[in-house]
Amino acid sequence: MDRKFDALILGGGAAGLMCAAEAGKRGRRVAVIEHADRPGKKILISGGGRCNFTNTHCQPEHFLSANPHFVKSALARYTPADFIALVEKHHIPYHEKTEGQLFCDRSAEEILKMLEAECAAAGVQIFPGTKINEVERAAEFVVRAESGVFRAQALVVATGGLSIPKMGATGFGYDVARKFGLTIRATRPALVPFVLGVNDRNQYCDLAGVSAEVAVSTGDHAFRDKMLFTHRGLSGPAILQISSYWNAGEPIRIDLAPGRDIAAATGDAKTRNTAAVRLALQGFLPHRFAKRWVDLHTPAAWNNPALAALDRQTHEWILVPQGTEGYEKAEVTAGGVDTDELSSKTMESRKMPGLFFIGEVVDVTGHLGGHNFQWAWASGASAGRAL
Ligand SMILES: Cc1cc2nc3c(=O)[nH]c(=O)nc-3n(C[C@H](O)[C@H](O)[C@H](O)COP(=O)(O)OP(=O)(O)OC[C@H]3O[C@@H](n4cnc5c(N)ncnc54)[C@H](O)[C@@H]3O)c2cc1C
């Protein structure tokens, strides 16, 4: 089999399908080459099976990248309102959870079916279960797969990042980028739970399943949200968010009582003792955690300086995570194809005309809450309109 198209899209995930539909609508003959048995598998497991498909507050500030300005053009060209309009055109019911996060009422499957329907209507051909052996460029791009050869003037790399290898994630996109001389920014797992060191694990991890509202920070970055104890460390939205900014070996600071004055609460108690402190903490921390915290931080005396010290410790629990749970559990991969290599309007390589990179393979990583899909849609649409 030797087939010729206008554009070949490697990877039929969120970004690849969006790009294919946009290019197909403009009359381009498009092939999506996907190695998994069906496209969009990550969409199906996203948002706990309900797909947090966008965030109505999505702004460039919600992304990490060596060049924080890079996302601006694509995000302005394809907005959350554009994707919502598509969802509404397909009569998919959805709801807002918190802070602009939009989820399907029923199932993430509906988002995938919507994208497949858009592709089908635009005449896009999808080739699932297609293992790629080689990508090269002569007069045009040539993709040699086990099932045949694909040729086109344009090649879009949409193979995603390294997170969740058992879902089909590969470093293939980075290999293609390197092959064509593009620079890769070092990759690392992001939006990922922390593993604690042995001492902290022994002290806290039997609390697995317990969660609390905290403010967590590292360097200049801070998030206020839920933290969850796990069997090996810490997770929950606040922890996942800060993990994207964490550098190995650095401490994180956790305020277990954001905005609360513990010293005042305990100082007012008629009897200053362990029970009074525990009671004060139980006003905002889960009972089991409050008890453990007081057991491990019982003041040496019941005077004002000792209570002030407990107050400080509770507002600034300093931990050095042993590491993260890695790509196996990371929601996304930070780093990737250097944005300096790409046009921010079209995602086309500056060095190699006709070669595009979109979605997670690019050095753009969103905060939790629908921003990563919005980047996939926006970068995919930008490239699709340029093909
Ligand atoms: C558990 C989980 C939940 C998530 N939930 C959300 C959420 O609710 N909201 C949100 O915004 N983000 C969420 N994300 C992140 C989001 O899924 C990604 O940011 C997004 O899917 C990236 O889109 P992409 O198209 O770049 O990559 P992907 O969607 O990963 O697609 C890449 C595609 O390329 C294929 N591929 C890989 N290598 C090859 C190869 N060598 N040959 C051919 N094909 C290949 C893959 O099989 C895949 O289909 C979640 C991630 C995970 C892991």
Side-chain angles (χ1 to χ4, degrees):
M1 182 192 78
D2 196 330
R3 296 169 190 246
K4 201 162 160 49
F5 293 87
D6 295 321
L8 305 176
I9 300 179
L10 309 186
L17 292 175
M18 172 57 80
C19 178
E22 285 293 320
K25 269 188 238 164
R26 299 174 61 256
R28 300 293 180 270
R29 289 169 302 141
V30 181
V32 175
I33 305 172
E34 166 61 56
H35 72 163
D37 53 359
R38 73 170 293 191
K41 280 189 168 179
K42 231 178 231 179
I43 296 173
L44 296 178
I45 59 159
S46 67
R50 293 252 163 92
C51 186
N52 178 193
F53 54 80
T54 193
N55 191 307
T56 53
H57 304 321
C58 187
Q59 292 292 330
E61 299 79 69
H62 295 116
F63 295 86
L64 292 83
S65 173
N67 175 2
H69 303 291
F70 180 78
V71 295
K72 288 181 180 169
S73 174
L75 291 178
R77 279 153 189 266
Y78 193 91
T79 65
D82 292 322
F83 196 77
I84 293 166
L86 189 59
V87 168
E88 290 180 350
K89 181 179 127 190
H90 286 258
H91 308 292
I92 299 173
Y94 63 91
H95 59 278
E96 180 173 0
K97 220 171 167 186
T98 42
E99 291 169 29
Q101 301 176 8
L102 301 189
F103 285 76
C104 296
D105 286 354
R106 293 188 294 240
S107 164
E109 177 104 36
E110 292 181 302
I111 298 294
L112 179 53
K113 286 202 167 133
M114 173 189 87
L115 293 168
E116 287 176 321
E118 287 287 312
C119 282
V124 172
Q125 292 188 55
I126 300 178
F127 297 86
T130 304
K131 307 273 177 271
I132 301 169
N133 294 330
E134 210 182 351
V135 176
E136 60 193 52
R137 167 140 200 205
E140 58 195 348
F141 287 98
V142 181
V143 174
R144 296 185 196 283
E146 278 170 17
S147 52
V149 179
F150 298 81
R151 297 172 195 276
Q153 286 298 331
L155 181 74
V156 183
V157 180
T159 46
L162 296 165
S163 5
I164 324 277
K166 65 172 191 269
M167 298 289 308
T170 68
F172 186 76
Y174 311 124
D175 297 341
V176 175
R178 278 191 206 97
K179 180 180 168 113
F180 291 114
L182 280 76
T183 310
I184 307 293
R185 292 257 167 196
T187 58
R188 62 180 195 284
L191 298 180
V192 62
F194 284 131
V195 176
L196 293 180
V198 178
N199 285 346
D200 292 320
R201 231 184 294 166
N202 288 340
Q203 287 181 327
Y204 297 105
C205 284
D206 62 319
L207 297 172
V210 171
S211 78
E213 166 101 14
V214 302
V216 55
S217 58
T218 188
D220 296 336
H221 300 281
F223 293 91
R224 184 171 172 165
D225 210 321
K226 286 249 157 67
M227 172 186 86
L228 172 77
F229 285 100
T230 69
H231 292 289
R232 281 159 51 89
L234 298 173
S235 187
I239 296 296
L240 298 180
Q241 297 276 39
I242 208 70
S243 74
S244 298
Y245 290 95
W246 181 70
N247 295 310
E250 285 182 358
I252 57 166
R253 295 178 299 281
I254 306 176
D255 182 348
L256 297 171
R260 291 173 193 269
D261 187 344
I262 302 157
T266 47
D268 287 348
K270 286 202 178 87
T271 327
R272 286 178 168 189
N273 56 25
T274 313
V277 174
R278 194 187 306 141
L279 198 66
L281 295 189
Q282 282 174 347
F284 51 90
L285 287 178
H287 288 200
R288 281 176 66 205
F289 182 35
K291 180 174 182 323
R292 179 67 49 82
W293 187 255
V294 177
D295 289 349
L296 292 170
H297 301 86
T298 308
W302 294 102
N303 53 27
N304 287 345
L307 283 177
L310 174 69
D311 188 282
R312 272 199 306 279
Q313 280 173 319
T314 311
H315 283 297
E316 200 176 47
W317 182 20
I318 298 177
L319 281 167
V320 181
Q322 182 183 295
T324 72
E325 292 281 4
Y327 291 116
E328 300 293 322
K329 298 230 173 115
E331 223 168 83
V332 286
T333 302
V337 175
D338 194 336
T339 56
D340 285 352
E341 303 275 6
L342 306 175
S343 153
S344 62
K345 289 196 179 67
T346 63
M347 308 293 134
E348 188 172 14
S349 160
R350 293 181 190 284
K351 283 187 186 137
M352 168 89 42
L355 178 64
F356 298 73
F357 290 84
I358 56 173
E360 201 179 317
V361 73
V362 180
D363 172 32
V364 170
T365 305
H367 287 183
L368 199 70
H371 302 292
N372 282 298
F373 276 136
Q374 188 55 37
W375 170 246
W377 316 137
S379 59
S382 293
R385 290 166 183 173
L387 288 172

